[in-house]
Amino acid sequence: MALKHEPTAPYHSAQDALRVLETVARHTTGINDTELVRHTNLDPERLTTLLRMLRREGYVEQITDGGYISGDALSRLGSAQGREKALRDKIQRTLDRLRDSVGAAVYLSRYVDGEVRIAQYADGPTTPVVHEWVDFRSSAHATAIGKSLLGQLDPAGRRDHLARHKLPRLTSRTITNDRLLLSRLESQPSSMPHLDLQEYAIGTVCAAVPITAGSAVGCLALSLPVEHAHRLRRAADTLNRNAAPVLLSLSI
């Protein structure tokens, strides 16, 4: 299965952040802003934004002379022992923060072995998750998550998925024609979130943005009750702007 490589803003942010982390890691006694600009060739304003995010996530720490060193979060993820738990805990904290930021349930999903998987999610009393009344693996055509994941595959990968999964009508808004679905996936700009406007379930709207790390296809998504549909696009934009920390965690 090949991927449809169209780097998104979170991807570029994660790549720039990795450059900063690699540079900091090489300078074990610390490195200041001026030296980081010189070593990474990043714009000073861009570097400031990245350092703010990296400090918040615990990947770098600022020492007394103003220099930066590697943080505890980077050490935990870089260690083979306990890395899986450390990664899961780190992503969960990020998802919890995103949930509070966008005011919606937030999901991390992956496309694994030809199937849609919900890897982790963050919900709460006022931000409930979507009721999975039809298995998400069988409803990729109707969900924002599914469409985002399929949209990152090449044409052969999409056709393979649809050959294994029918397109049942779940609501009156569900796309059940494979040609129409494939056409919409192909024409979707990578910078725009995929939406589910009551296609999977009446009363719920969703949005998803891609976060592909290497050869692993993934996405971040959110869901809202339909009475909050007016917040969907703004919430999706916020989700996209804040997707880099999740992608960075997956990339380390």
Side-chain angles (χ1 to χ4, degrees), residues 18 40 46 94 99 109 125 167 172 180 219 240:
L18 282 172
T40 62
R46 172 72 165 162
T94 303
R99 173 201 60 206
S109 185
L167 276 63
S172 62
L180 176 58
C219 72
N240 194 41

Side-chain angles (χ1 to χ4, degrees), residues 92 95-97 99 104-108 120-124 127 129:
Q92 191 60 52
L95 294 180
D96 289 345
R97 188 168 59 247
R99 173 201 60 206
V106 175
Y107 314 76
L108 170 63
Q120 290 178 243
Y121 64 87
D123 64 345
T127 53
V129 294

Side-chain angles (χ1 to χ4, degrees), residues 5-6 49 63 85 132 212:
H5 284 289
E6 292 185 15
T49 300
I63 52 183
K85 182 179 185 305
E132 189 177 357
T212 299

